[in-house]
Amino acid sequence: MTTTDHRPRRMSPEERRQALIDSALELFGRNGSDRLTMEDVAAHAEVSRALVYRYFSNIEEIRVAALRAAVDDLVGRLSRQRDGDLLDQLHATLEEFVSFAEERAAGYIALLRNGSVIATSETAALVDEARHAVVGQVLERLEPVAPSPFLLLTLRCWVAACEGAMLTWLQERTLTRESLVPWLSGQLVGMIGATAAHDPEVAAILSLLEPRSAQPSSA
């Protein structure tokens, strides 16, 4: 008669480090990180304080590693190739953005909260990296020869609006996901439309963001 060994599998150093980062992300998202301690991370991960110190020398190292993990995940998702016209690609990218926020809500909330809570150049740079990645993905699809100051300002303002909307949506869920994504893309179209009145180069981009039904037929 054979018996099954139910003892937990021993983690490799890489797996253990990732488990500690995941615990930190959850705690950061739930409580913020300005008052979090190494002891808090150890308790949440159900390991000893000494084990945490084996991988990280202080709470700042954990904070940076956790934010790095969240940024890498988000940037990787947003960088995937998309099919279809510009509006289809925008919708698909936003779907991925919302999926990240839903699946890793703690990490996403931690990412945004730390942008205003932590006054260190390294963590601020990580938050900016995520924002630049979103702007970069839109610019890559718009393919302007040289993005104008008006266009860059518009996209950065849109990213800020998306961040605020996602934080509110995660907490309140007053809209369905199916209605949230087209609303977010509509915000970009509306903001680019407003900017087009001040910048002819942006006006040329606006037609690329119109639904197919609104574009003139080539027949």
Side-chain angles (χ1 to χ4, degrees):
M1 178 178 179
T2 59
T3 59
T4 302
D5 188 349
H6 294 289
R7 289 177 299 178
R9 181 176 64 84
R10 184 181 181 85
M11 289 186 180
S12 69
E14 294 78 14
E15 289 172 330
R16 174 60 69 190
R17 185 177 187 276
Q18 187 58 53
L20 293 174
I21 289 172
D22 290 342
S23 290
L25 275 172
E26 186 171 345
L27 290 172
F28 290 168
R30 186 187 304 166
N31 306 317
S33 63
D34 51 331
R35 292 186 297 273
L36 203 66
T37 67
M38 300 285 273
E39 289 76 11
D40 294 331
V41 175
H44 189 267
E46 299 182 339
V47 298
S48 68
R49 182 172 176 267
L51 184 70
V52 178
Y53 275 101
R54 186 183 303 173
Y55 291 90
F56 302 99
S57 59
N58 53 55
I59 195 65
E60 182 62 23
E61 281 191 14
I62 299 180
R63 182 182 293 124
V64 170
L67 285 174
R68 176 79 271 167
V71 169
D72 287 348
D73 185 15
L74 179 58
V75 171
R77 292 179 184 223
L78 296 181
S79 301
R80 294 171 183 166
Q81 290 295 319
R82 316 289 180 192
D83 296 323
D85 60 22
L86 185 59
L87 198 58
D88 289 337
Q89 293 179 47
L90 176 61
H91 285 168
T93 301
L94 283 169
E95 285 280 2
E96 199 69 67
F97 179 59
V98 174
S99 292
F100 169 84
E102 274 194 304
E103 295 166 16
R104 297 192 58 173
Y108 180 76
I109 293 171
L111 179 65
L112 296 188
R113 280 183 172 175
N114 281 276
S116 58
V117 170
I118 302 174
T120 69
S121 59
E122 190 167 8
T123 52
L126 285 172
V127 174
D128 285 341
E129 181 181 334
R131 291 167 176 156
H132 291 327
V134 178
V135 171
Q137 286 301 309
V138 177
L139 285 176
E140 184 177 320
R141 289 163 172 77
L142 293 176
E143 295 183 346
V145 176
S148 69
F150 263 126
L151 179 58
L152 287 173
L153 182 61
T154 300
L155 294 179
R156 289 166 183 162
C157 289
W158 175 68
V159 169
C162 286
E163 289 178 357
M166 285 306 305
L167 283 176
T168 301
W169 182 73
L170 287 171
Q171 294 166 354
E172 299 179 358
R173 301 292 182 126
T174 53
L175 295 174
T176 65
R177 177 187 174 126
E178 291 73 23
S179 60
L180 178 67
V181 170
W183 180 80
L184 289 174
S185 65
Q187 293 297 306
L188 178 58
V189 174
M191 292 176 74
I192 288 180
T195 303
H198 305 273
D199 188 333
E201 294 182 13
V202 175
I205 294 172
L206 190 59
S207 62
L208 300 175
L209 289 166
E210 293 178 351
R212 288 196 187 99
S213 59
Q215 296 178 5
S217 173
S218 58

